[in-house]
Amino acid sequence: MDIEAEIRALQLDSAEDGTGMAIPVDAKPEEVEMTDKVEEVEMPDKVEEEGTKDEVDTKSQPAQDEPKVKDKEVAPLEDAEGTDEMESQKKRHLNVVFIGHVDAGKSTTGGQILFLSGQVDDRTIQKYEKEAKDKSRESWYMAYIMDTNEEERVKGKTVEVGRAHFETETTRFTILDAPGHKSYVPNMISGASQADVGVLVISARKGEFETGYERGGQTREHVQLAKTLGVTKLLVVVNKMDDHTVNWSKERYDEIESKMIPFLRSSGYNVKKDVLFLPISGLVGANMKTRVDKSTCPWWNGPCLFEALDSIEVPLRDPKGPFRMPIIDKFKDMGTVVMGKVESGSICEGDSLLVMPNKAQVKVIAVYCDENKVRRAGPGENLRVRLSGIEEEDIMEGFVLTSVVKAIPAVTEFTAQLQILELLENAIFTAGYKAVLHIHSVVEECEIVELLQQIDPKTRKPMKKKVLFVKNGAVVVCRVQVNSLICIEKFSDFPQLGRFTLRTEGKTVAILFVEVSKLSCAFSCCVTFQKRSLADCCFSCCITDLLI
Ligand code: GTP
Ligand code: MG
């Protein structure tokens, strides 16, 4: 079976509609509907697809314990009651995740963006230069802006998703700097699930593109995961163009672009419409805020990174839908504060909401968007919300802040349509298959309890034969169980809360696209899960129908 064709057929684009904006405490009510779209920069013509067969080889990857999914705020936010920056809240807003292979330069590029946009001063950079030198990591000083943990600085590897904010004339951006190392893929999944747009960072340095792309690197895995997690637009930045092995070579850039295009297509991206390539140097900041100098790169006539980011259309969002905010983090601060991205609806100070699945009734004391306290915020915004009526210890990551009317369902079982892309060597997919399910901010062990129907990938109709097991490439409807209640949705209602990724331990990456077709809230059977160490296999999934 042509797995790539199946992925294309199952393109999982977000179907949100309307645009959400955060409204500063002093803004007029009518400003809530305001949108501020910018014309899209035309994507350059791409080389035609060669139809490559892309395999993710993780044979060398050891089984790892699934690390704790966590984000870190790069510049800790002060509570600001009535700030001068209120104007900024009227701009359009985009969440951008930086993805790509380890050491591609994601944190360096993110740090450089903050420096170029005036978020970081020269003194801080000098301090980081000294600190990096002391750690014998001279060239990592720019990455230190995003990599704030000691562990990250010592190892030169991002662990937790870094979160920061910057803005251009037209747009406020939330940057999510994902880790590239294979051990931290769950954290990358958490970052990507909060994003609208991906910046795929690829190192052009000799050998580095190859390890990221050709030898089972995370370039491929991140692209496939990003697509299924709802990152519909990609900027592919070919980084380290300043490196002496590259020296802004057009040949090297073209080589990378021509290898990436067929793979991006096979992963479900419409390369002409949804992907833009550009060369940069994150380290020296070239082709980032302003276009690269002709004396440095005479052949580049396209946009710089800031222009490209500004050109991306904000996805349509529904500010009037039922409120949904998956909780990615929580802490105590004059009450209980929860953090997350609003996937649907709007939130106001004083609102009465529910925390699901524990059905706790809460009141919204305050809403913070970036550094600012806001009166109201809409979908797409990354928020901190102060709540009363619940203790911090009664909330877990993966819980969802939801409207009382049309509250999000909580389930322990659902049926889903999965596409199996690649299983562990010699593995068959059958009842009893165990994996880890990642859906919005939920990470839960799950078990496939029954295969219900196999789908003919050509006709997309159910096959008559009873199905007991399937192999790579199959599309199958199955029943999935989890141990504890989780909050999920039909894919057709809320794509971001209705598509998921399954991962299992092992050597070979496997990816499933799943459409959940039924959810059952009242499931009482207790399933015992074997504790496993989890690492490398991936499945990506989405939800279509819901029965409660
Ligand atoms: P992980 O978080 O571990 O996945 O890595 P990363 O993608 O965030 O890479 P990071 O920014 O930490 O950079 C890794 C190394 O690449 C550092 O030594 C950087 O200085 C170097 N680097 C990043 N961008 C550039 C660049 O544009 N040019 C050159 N020459 N080196 C770069
Ligand atoms: Mg990093």
Side-chain angles (χ1 to χ4, degrees):
M1 182 191 311
D2 182 352
I3 293 168
E4 278 89 28
E6 281 303 315
I7 304 173
R8 280 195 293 279
L10 283 164
Q11 276 194 33
L12 304 174
D13 287 331
S14 166
E16 296 164 305
D17 58 314
T19 296
M21 309 275 294
I23 301 303
V25 277
D26 60 353
K28 297 189 189 81
E30 58 268 28
E31 284 162 359
V32 77
E33 303 295 329
M34 189 185 80
T35 61
D36 196 2
K37 283 192 180 158
V38 175
E39 281 297 297
E40 224 172 327
V41 165
E42 208 176 306
M43 306 285 183
D45 278 342
K46 305 293 175 206
V47 187
E48 275 313 298
E49 176 179 347
E50 292 137 29
T52 50
K53 187 91 177 160
D54 302 301
E55 283 169 20
V56 185
D57 174 17
T58 55
K59 288 200 170 99
S60 57
Q61 295 176 8
Q64 304 277 348
D65 282 333
E66 202 85 338
K68 192 165 151 46
V69 176
K70 205 109 181 116
D71 284 9
K72 60 181 187 289
E73 191 74 43
V74 166
L77 302 178
E78 298 289 319
D79 283 0
E81 308 266 346
T83 151
D84 292 344
E85 293 175 36
M86 289 306 174
E87 276 304 306
S88 67
Q89 298 296 320
K90 294 175 193 165
K91 293 181 180 177
R92 57 190 214 125
H93 175 244
L94 271 176
N95 299 291
V96 183
V97 66
F98 283 63
I99 55 174
H101 193 67
V102 68
D103 281 353
K106 299 176 289 297
S107 304
T108 301
T109 304
Q112 184 69 258
I113 286 177
L114 295 188
F115 178 61
L116 292 172
S117 58
Q119 312 282 307
V120 181
D121 58 22
D122 287 330
R123 271 213 9 234
T124 309
I125 295 288
Q126 281 159 18
K127 196 180 104 198
Y128 289 161
E129 270 178 323
K130 184 172 177 313
E131 189 182 334
K133 202 165 175 209
D134 292 346
K135 291 188 165 71
S136 305
R137 289 200 172 274
E138 278 88 338
S139 66
W140 260 264
Y141 66 95
M142 267 296 165
Y144 279 15
I145 299 171
M146 301 301 298
D147 291 337
T148 51
N149 295 347
E150 184 60 13
E151 180 195 357
E152 295 177 321
R153 291 184 176 181
V154 169
K155 292 186 182 157
K157 305 258 171 301
T158 304
V159 177
E160 295 177 352
V161 174
R163 180 189 290 268
H165 314 282
F166 83 101
E167 48 190 80
T168 59
E169 288 283 303
T170 60
T171 314
R172 283 184 303 118
F173 291 96
T174 299
I175 305 180
L176 301 152
D177 174 31
H181 194 277
K182 58 180 179 269
S183 301
Y184 308 121
V185 171
N187 289 3
M188 176 273 167
I189 290 172
S190 151
S193 70
Q194 298 162 55
D196 311 300
V197 180
V199 172
L200 173 63
V201 182
I202 293 179
S203 170
R205 184 181 282 161
K206 190 165 182 229
E208 287 192 357
F209 164 65
E210 287 73 16
T211 32
Y213 178 72
E214 285 169 355
R215 294 178 213 149
Q218 266 53 55
T219 305
R220 284 166 183 270
E221 191 178 9
H222 280 197
V223 167
Q224 291 172 321
L225 286 170
K227 180 62 193 169
T228 54
L229 290 163
V231 177
T232 51
K233 307 256 179 199
L234 268 192
L235 293 182
V236 183
V237 297
V238 180
N239 187 34
K240 307 198 186 180
M241 292 298 290
D242 64 292
D243 187 78
H244 71 275
T245 63
V246 186
N247 209 11
W248 293 91
S249 152
K250 183 171 184 326
E251 288 66 40
R252 179 64 167 160
Y253 177 84
D254 288 345
E255 178 196 354
I256 292 170
E257 192 185 58
S258 63
K259 285 191 173 147
M260 285 304 297
I261 284 172
F263 172 67
L264 292 169
R265 282 216 179 99
S266 72
S267 302
Y269 283 99
N270 180 332
V271 176
K272 278 212 168 103
K273 227 174 97 233
D274 297 328
V275 180
L276 177 67
F277 282 82
L278 65 154
I280 64 160
S281 166
L283 190 61
V284 303
N287 208 37
M288 290 191 56
K289 193 176 180 187
T290 53
R291 292 190 181 195
V292 61
D293 208 277
K294 285 279 172 210
S295 61
T296 306
C297 183
W299 50 268
W300 181 249
N301 298 309
C304 60
L305 183 57
F306 278 42
E307 285 176 303
L309 283 168
D310 261 346
S311 75
I312 294 167
E313 269 185 58
V314 173
L316 295 172
R317 296 162 176 156
D318 181 11
K320 297 206 174 97
F323 186 73
R324 302 280 187 267
M325 188 183 98
I327 295 167
I328 54 161
D329 209 354
K330 42 116 196 215
F331 54 92
K332 266 191 193 141
D333 180 16
M334 295 190 298
T336 300
V337 179
V338 291
M339 288 172 63
K341 179 188 167 204
V342 181
E343 294 295 352
S344 159
S346 301
I347 185 170
C348 284
E349 251 180 45
D351 277 355
S352 291
L353 298 173
L354 281 182
V355 172
M356 288 289 279
N358 51 350
K359 292 189 185 147
Q361 294 204 337
V362 293
K363 198 158 177 116
V364 176
I365 308 292
V367 180
Y368 299 89
C369 181
D370 299 348
E371 290 84 5
N372 306 317
K373 187 174 182 205
V374 293
R375 193 168 52 80
R376 178 190 299 209
E381 295 290 352
N382 267 289
L383 303 178
R384 289 177 303 147
V385 180
R386 180 169 290 130
L387 300 172
S388 68
I390 194 161
E391 294 302 319
E392 180 250 350
E393 48 273 16
D394 295 330
I395 300 179
M396 278 163 62
E397 287 123 52
F399 283 16
V400 177
L401 192 57
T402 162
S403 44
V404 180
V405 179
K406 291 199 188 150
I408 190 167
V411 303
T412 53
E413 183 184 343
F414 54 88
T415 61
Q417 183 175 302
L418 308 96
Q419 172 155 19
I420 301 160
L421 292 192
E422 206 175 332
L423 290 167
L424 296 175
E425 228 169 287
N426 301 324
I428 52 166
F429 190 80
T430 182
Y433 198 97
K434 294 184 178 86
V436 172
L437 175 133
H438 294 255
I439 182 161
H440 57 86
S441 49
V442 169
V443 183
E444 269 292 320
E445 289 189 48
C446 74
E447 179 169 340
I448 309 299
V449 281
E450 189 183 359
L451 302 192
L452 298 169
Q453 246 172 1
Q454 189 163 359
I455 306 290
D456 184 330
K458 287 199 187 83
T459 61
R460 310 211 59 77
K461 296 216 169 87
M463 290 153 80
K464 291 220 171 73
K465 209 171 57 175
K466 175 115 183 92
V467 54
L468 291 175
F469 66 90
V470 290
K471 291 184 178 166
N472 283 344
V475 179
V476 63
V477 178
C478 52
R479 229 157 28 96
V480 184
Q481 277 178 8
V482 285
N483 263 346
S484 335
L485 284 169
I486 56 166
C487 297
I488 58 177
E489 291 274 11
K490 281 199 293 186
F491 176 73
S492 56
D493 290 345
F494 294 95
Q496 286 302 105
L497 307 179
R499 55 161 76 88
F500 58 93
T501 299
L502 298 181
R503 312 184 73 230
T504 64
E505 66 176 313
K507 292 177 180 167
T508 314
V509 168
I511 293 183
L512 302 175
F513 287 84
V514 180
E515 299 183 26
V516 170
S517 51
K518 277 183 189 170
L519 305 180
S520 154
C521 283
F523 195 80
S524 57
C525 170
C526 179
V527 182
T528 323
F529 286 98
Q530 212 183 319
K531 267 269 171 228
R532 306 172 141 216
S533 63
L534 304 153
D536 303 322
C537 281
C538 291
F539 308 77
S540 299
C541 324
C542 77
I543 299 172
T544 57
D545 196 14
L546 165 67
L547 185 80
I548 302 163

